[in-house]
Amino acid sequence: MPYSVLIFSYRKPGTTPEQFKAHYDDVHVHLIRELTGAFFPLSHTRRYLHRSEKETDSNTWRNPISPATVVIGTQEDFDYDAISELTFEDEPAFQKFFELMKQPENQARIAADEEKFVDRSRLSMVALGNTTETKRVQTTIGDWLNDKSTTGN
């Protein structure tokens, strides 16, 4: 059964959202792949918070000029910059990956790279439990509108 973890990452102070994303995507993930080889996750999906370039009364000290686009909640709820989902074949595959990450020489290389763009004091990881996905029945809004017009609803 697939096994997934979520990583919540925060930009290092003084790093822009664009610099953070570029380093994560173009440097850090490649380093992790190099260090873990065949034990790299089946997928490593990064989701970056949408941030705008505006000052508001609700901005936080971490994001004084780049607040998250909050729909529900407060800026403080969304100070992290990326949520990464790492999916493995199973829990033993994750454990092997994590063992490789914790080897002293690998850990030193990862830490040195993270110091360039991540606030390591705020980095966190959690294992996911069961996942349930619900998909839309109609494939497009046009299909739905056509269906409504033929049924009279």
Side-chain angles (χ1 to χ4, degrees):
M1 171 162 39
Y3 185 83
S4 296
V5 296
L6 292 179
I7 300 172
F8 293 84
S9 302
Y10 298 75
R11 279 179 290 130
K12 184 176 182 171
T15 304
T16 68
E18 295 79 15
Q19 291 168 330
F20 175 83
K21 181 182 183 308
H23 192 93
Y24 201 163
D25 289 348
D26 300 337
V27 179
H28 192 68
V29 171
H30 296 288
L31 173 63
I32 301 302
R33 186 184 304 234
E34 174 191 328
L35 297 175
T36 59
F39 295 99
F40 187 79
L42 292 172
S43 65
H44 186 302
T45 304
R46 293 161 307 285
R47 293 179 174 91
Y48 298 94
L49 270 65
H50 181 269
R51 296 197 175 278
S52 60
E53 296 289 326
K54 62 181 181 180
E55 290 193 44
T56 68
D57 292 339
S58 63
N59 290 8
T60 64
W61 69 270
R62 291 195 83 260
N63 292 294
I65 59 169
S66 56
T69 305
V70 177
V71 177
I72 298 174
T74 66
Q75 285 298 320
E76 291 83 13
D77 297 334
F78 300 97
D79 255 1
Y80 56 88
D81 292 281
I83 302 170
S84 301
E85 182 175 352
L86 283 64
T87 302
F88 300 85
E89 292 88 344
D90 50 27
E91 188 172 356
F94 165 74
Q95 293 299 335
K96 182 61 180 168
F97 167 84
F98 203 62
E99 287 171 19
L100 287 169
M101 298 281 288
K102 291 296 184 185
Q103 289 179 354
E105 68 181 41
N106 290 346
Q107 198 169 22
R109 288 184 65 192
I110 292 165
D113 185 56
E114 287 177 346
E115 287 296 330
K116 297 174 184 172
F117 76 110
V118 173
D119 180 349
R120 297 188 75 223
S121 70
R122 310 261 337 253
L123 195 62
S124 59
M125 183 187 310
V126 65
L128 290 178
N130 293 333
T131 299
T132 303
E133 180 179 20
T134 303
K135 294 186 177 185
R136 177 169 58 186
V137 176
Q138 269 79 20
T139 57
T140 68
I141 291 175
D143 290 344
W144 181 80
L145 291 172
N146 288 336
D147 185 50
K148 290 293 184 186
S149 66
T150 59
T151 61
N153 293 330

